[in-house]
Amino acid sequence: MHDPDSFGCRAFTAVLQRIGDKWSLLIVSVLADGPKRFSELRREIPSISQRMLTLTLRGLERDGLVSRTVTPSIPPRVDYELTQLGQSLRKPVCALAEWAMANIDVIHTSQTRFDRANGEKV
């Protein structure tokens, strides 16, 4: 028998996994400024590998958060931008990023204190 609550929980978890991973958050925040080419995204997120950027963009496109436009040229031009659904993520993603930046020092201090108290290497 199908448990509707477990389906809802699985669906909710899948959505949070997509929008909550660090690469998706970074890509959404970069695309919040407008459409970008693949190479521009690579430059603005230098720590992401080409493979991970490709996989994350495909996942975001599959979920309807990002659109991909190919312009026939030599070489082909590929642009990515937030869809209307992706645009609706701008506010919460930017708020989360602002919160993280405002609290990074406090979190780091807490982690160091915890690690020292629990015998972890600092």
Side-chain angles (χ1 to χ4, degrees):
M1 178 177 257
H2 178 67
D3 177 7
D5 287 334
S6 70
F7 174 76
C9 185
R10 284 194 311 268
F12 180 74
T13 299
V15 169
L16 286 183
Q17 285 176 333
R18 165 63 59 219
I19 64 171
D21 78 78
K22 72 178 181 179
W23 299 125
S24 293
L25 286 173
L26 284 169
I27 290 168
V28 168
S29 66
V30 169
L31 291 176
D33 295 333
K36 301 274 191 249
R37 294 178 77 171
F38 188 89
S39 58
E40 291 175 300
L41 289 166
R42 282 286 315 268
R43 269 194 303 278
E44 292 195 38
I45 310 170
S47 56
I48 194 170
S49 69
Q50 182 169 334
R51 183 180 191 295
M52 185 54 66
L53 179 56
T54 299
L55 290 173
T56 305
L57 284 166
R58 287 193 70 188
L60 290 167
E61 184 180 6
R62 180 175 181 258
D63 291 344
L65 300 167
V66 168
S67 66
R68 179 179 184 265
T69 304
V70 179
T71 305
S73 61
I74 298 175
R77 179 185 172 113
V78 181
D79 291 288
Y80 295 90
E81 66 181 310
L82 295 177
T83 62
Q84 187 174 357
L85 181 62
Q87 289 286 342
S88 71
L89 263 179
R90 286 177 64 188
K91 188 174 180 179
V93 164
C94 291
L96 183 59
E98 287 173 19
W99 179 88
M101 293 304 291
N103 291 288
I104 193 75
D105 291 334
V106 173
I107 291 169
H108 185 259
T109 299
S110 296
Q111 291 170 339
T112 300
R113 187 178 325 118
F114 178 91
D115 291 348
R116 284 188 179 137
N118 290 286
E120 303 288 329
K121 289 185 178 183
V122 179

